[in-house]
Every structure is written in structure tokens, then in C-alpha cells.
Amino acid sequence: EAQVTQNPRYLITVTGKKLTVTCSQNMNHEYMSWYRQDPGLGLRQIYYSMNVEVTDKGDVPEGYKVSRKEKRNFPLILESPSPNQTSLYFCASSFLGQGADGYTFGSGTRLTVV
Amino acid sequence: AQKITQTQPGMFVQEKEAVTLDCTYDTSDPSYGLFWYKQPSSGEMIFLIYQGSYDQQNATEGRYSLNFQKARKSANLVISASQLGDSAMYFCAMREGPNTDKLIFGTGTRLQVFP
């Protein structure tokens, strides 16, 4: 089954404790990105990658890191999480510029930083 | 700058009735795509329907149709014969240009369907 797999689904952590949210896709998509969703703001892009070893900032990159060492994986790293990073996070992947075909979201990761 | 506006924070509709969720967009690029997603309380993003800027006909997918008015820059979602399971948050999103897959999202409309 074609899918984007995010882990974990739920995470509660403490301020300053480094964490990684994993994202993996099995569709050989070139493009992968991370979004965060906050009430009243919709989803906003954090980082994106157009292929292996090619990453760039989205609209809200502060406090996050990413890497793309393999085509299928695109982890999101919070080196020192803070309470304002409490949010619902989505990973997404697609073939670049192919309409709606194959644009796939993961199931989301609900992160709480206390 | 590209922008998506959803002016209805919440909507109510009775079961079996039709409902229209509004979405306007702003872009200067002639090539763009418009998406609608449904987000139930479980949180996942469910793709509903897509309209490309060069598509001649309005998109339809089952009970969902997109009322695309290019000159007015609107892309309203019409849900016919509402069902209780349609109660969810609905997001309109736009991808601008052929060289990015970044989606710009609106703030969403919460739809509640009552019996």
C-alpha cells in the first residue's frame, strides 16, 4: 500500500530534550515536506526536500532541522524543543508538479512540549 | 503573495442537505492547483478534490464538487447530500507554479452536520 508513515503518532516531552519524528514513504517520491498545524493558522510548511541531499527552509523553520540521506526518509529533528513547538505535525510526499496525483500526507504526529 | 482565505470558521448543515464551503485565493502565477482536504477529529488529512488552473471543467468526485470561478479567484467546495460523517474540519490549499509542491493552506472551516 502506498503510504507515508510517521512515527510516533503522539509524543509528550520536556523542554530542551532532543527528539526526532521519523517520516518514510514507499512511493519513490522526489518531494517531501514537513508542515505544522496550529489552531486558526492552518498548516504551514517547515522544511522541504526536492531530492536526496537537497533541503530548504519553508515558512516556519526556526527550531527545526531535517535531513534527506535516502530518498524514502525525511526525519524532523527538534534539537531543543520549546513549548511553542507544541503542535500537530504532518509529513507529506509527492512527485514534483504532478497535479494532485500522489500527493500524500502521513497520519500526523501530535507533539506536546511541557 | 500567494494566499488562501476561508472566511467561514464554522458551518452547520442538516443531514441530506447541500452545503458550500467558501475559498478564495490570491496568486499572480497563471499555473496553480487548488486542493480541498477533510480533517476528521482523528487528525489525518484526507484528500477530497483537485482543480488545476487550466482545467476547463469544474472538478467533481462523488458528492464533492468544486465551483471554480477563475475570474473571481474562488474555489468553493460543494458537498451534496450531507452525511453525519461529513462533520470535520475542511481545508482549502493552493500549489503555485510547476516547480514546487509546497501547499499554502487556508485556516479551515469546521462543518457540523446535524440530523
Side-chain angles (χ1 to χ4, degrees), chain B residues 50-65:
Chain B
Y50 172 82
Q51 181 86 40
S53 59
Y54 296 119
D55 294 343
Q56 294 296 312
Q57 293 189 324
N58 286 350
T60 60
E61 291 284 351
R63 294 187 299 109
Y64 304 107
S65 60

Side-chain angles (χ1 to χ4, degrees), chain B residues 60-107:
Chain B
T60 60
E61 291 284 351
R63 294 187 299 109
Y64 304 107
S65 60
L66 200 153
N67 184 0
F68 182 46
Q69 298 189 42
K70 199 169 182 177
R72 298 178 63 181
K73 293 189 173 179
S74 75
N76 299 339
L77 176 71
V78 181
I79 305 174
S80 63
S82 297
Q83 301 171 357
L84 296 178
D86 293 335
S87 294
M89 194 74 164
Y90 289 80
F91 289 99
C92 180
M94 175 176 68
R95 179 174 60 210
E96 185 180 67
N99 297 317
T100 177
D101 268 18
K102 174 183 175 181
L103 294 185
I104 306 294
F105 282 84
T107 52

Side-chain angles (χ1 to χ4, degrees), chain A residues 35 37 59 90 94 97 99 103, chain B residues 39 43 50 95 101-103 107:
Chain A
Y35 293 85
Q37 181 184 352
D59 296 321
F90 289 99
S94 66
Y103 203 108
Chain B
Q39 186 180 48
Y50 172 82
R95 179 174 60 210
D101 268 18
K102 174 183 175 181
L103 294 185
T107 52

Side-chain angles (χ1 to χ4, degrees), chain A residues 45-88:
Chain A
Q45 192 183 56
I46 303 170
Y47 267 95
Y48 67 95
S49 168
M50 296 180 77
N51 217 320
V52 176
E53 302 292 0
V54 181
T55 64
D56 208 346
K57 296 177 181 178
D59 296 321
V60 287
E62 293 77 22
Y64 304 96
K65 286 176 59 176
V66 294
S67 68
R68 187 97 181 267
K69 293 185 170 62
E70 306 163 285
K71 198 170 187 177
R72 62 183 292 125
N73 295 324
F74 191 46
L76 179 70
I77 303 156
L78 285 71
E79 294 268 3
S80 183
S82 62
N84 65 11
Q85 291 178 299
T86 292
S87 189
L88 178 58

Side-chain angles (χ1 to χ4, degrees), chain A:
Chain A
E1 180 190 353
Q3 59 185 2
V4 175
T5 303
Q6 283 180 240
N7 280 297
R9 287 293 307 274
Y10 301 92
L11 180 59
I12 300 174
T13 191
V14 296
T15 299
K17 185 176 181 182
K18 180 179 178 180
L19 67 92
T20 299
V21 184
T22 63
C23 174
S24 180
Q25 50 96 0
N26 61 1
M27 296 163 281
N28 202 35
H29 285 165
E30 303 122 347
Y31 193 97
M32 297 186 74
S33 56
W34 279 100
Y35 293 85
R36 63 177 286 172
Q37 181 184 352
D38 301 292
L41 296 177
L43 281 76
R44 295 174 293 167
Q45 192 183 56
I46 303 170
Y47 267 95
Y48 67 95
S49 168
M50 296 180 77
N51 217 320
V52 176
E53 302 292 0
V54 181
T55 64
D56 208 346
K57 296 177 181 178
D59 296 321
V60 287
E62 293 77 22
Y64 304 96
K65 286 176 59 176
V66 294
S67 68
R68 187 97 181 267
K69 293 185 170 62
E70 306 163 285
K71 198 170 187 177
R72 62 183 292 125
N73 295 324
F74 191 46
L76 179 70
I77 303 156
L78 285 71
E79 294 268 3
S80 183
S82 62
N84 65 11
Q85 291 178 299
T86 292
S87 189
L88 178 58
Y89 292 86
F90 289 99
C91 181
S93 74
S94 66
F95 287 118
L96 193 64
Q98 296 295 310
D101 291 344
Y103 203 108
T104 307
F105 279 87
S107 299
T109 295
R110 208 170 281 276
L111 172 66
T112 302
V113 184
V114 298

